[in-house]
Amino acid sequence: MTSYRKILEKNKAWAKHKLDIDPEYFSRLVHVQSPEFLWIGCSDSRVPADQITGTEPGEIFVHRNIANVVDHTDLNVLSVLTYAVDVLKVKHIIICGHYNCGGVKAALYNDNHGLLNKWLRNIKDVYVTHKIELEAEQDPSKKLDMLVEFNVIEQAHNLAQTTVMQQAWHQKQEIKIHGCVYSLEDGIMRDLIEIKDNESIDEIYRLKF
Ligand code: CO
């Protein structure tokens, strides 16, 4: 059996298992989607948003890309964000990075990755912002961990600066941004930053409504 066939078989078994436990499972889910969370995480196959958070289908709206970047010109992340905030009215946005992130590691060095260079540039910019602290660290693996953490913090700020978030907070919508980092070694998510209003946004990025 090919590995793709195996996936289809596993899917059938999963659907059957769900129906065995709860015959209404799919008919209930098909009508409504009201997740409380938006997850912005890395595409890394070892960091599956729903499994590590113990959430079920319907509970978490997910966007993943290489190294959990929030680029203010990325139509994809901005579309997901707009839908999650304006339509789904999520209460929490979780930006989750992870240690040993291949994307962050690639950005830390100078190899040519073709098209990816443009994407990794976002993380190189994070490096430049925190250059003094990063270059004080001699251990390469600790330095990578630091860049992973700084990347989460900067992406949380990038998110807060978006028009969508500023407008939501201006309209008194209750929505928090949580930046955290996941460890592949112990499976634990650790908090790094929380942003809950326009106050922490640098003056230059603040919009008047
Ligand atoms: Co990664």
Side-chain angles (χ1 to χ4, degrees), residues 14 18 22 24-34 56-59:
W14 171 81
K18 286 290 177 192
D22 175 7
E24 307 298 318
Y25 186 77
F26 294 108
S27 51
R28 211 175 40 244
L29 269 178
V30 84
H31 295 300
V32 66
Q33 176 183 224
S34 56
E56 290 293 323
E59 290 185 325

Side-chain angles (χ1 to χ4, degrees), residues 42-44 46-47 65-68 98-104:
C42 183
S43 298
D44 193 304
R46 299 163 297 179
V47 195
N65 62 40
I66 292 175
N68 42 273
H98 68 101
Y99 296 120
N100 299 305
C101 181
V104 175

Side-chain angles (χ1 to χ4, degrees), residues 101-161:
C101 181
V104 175
K105 194 172 185 180
L108 191 50
Y109 299 101
N110 299 92
D111 300 308
N112 175 17
H113 295 283
L115 177 72
L116 271 175
N117 294 335
K118 189 168 161 35
W119 192 254
L120 299 176
R121 166 67 195 267
N122 289 295
I123 305 158
K124 286 183 184 284
D125 291 346
V126 173
Y127 183 95
V128 170
T129 306
H130 295 277
K131 197 173 182 154
I132 295 167
E133 296 122 293
L134 285 160
E135 293 194 351
E137 177 57 63
Q138 301 300 316
D139 181 328
S141 93
K142 281 186 188 152
K143 193 172 178 176
L144 176 58
D145 288 351
M146 279 173 81
L147 186 55
V148 163
E149 292 174 3
F150 283 137
N151 185 46
V152 167
I153 291 165
E154 292 306 321
Q155 303 311 328
H157 287 303
N158 286 348
L159 184 55
Q161 289 155 11

Side-chain angles (χ1 to χ4, degrees), residues 38 61 79-90 173 175:
L38 166 62
F61 198 63
S79 301
V80 169
L81 179 67
T82 301
Y83 189 73
V85 173
D86 293 352
V87 181
L88 297 174
K89 308 274 184 205
V90 297
Q173 197 169 325
I175 178 164

Side-chain angles (χ1 to χ4, degrees), residues 1-11:
M1 199 187 291
T2 65
S3 49
Y4 173 63
R5 285 284 146 205
K6 243 183 236 170
I7 287 276
L8 294 183
E9 290 302 318
K10 280 191 181 174
N11 163 255

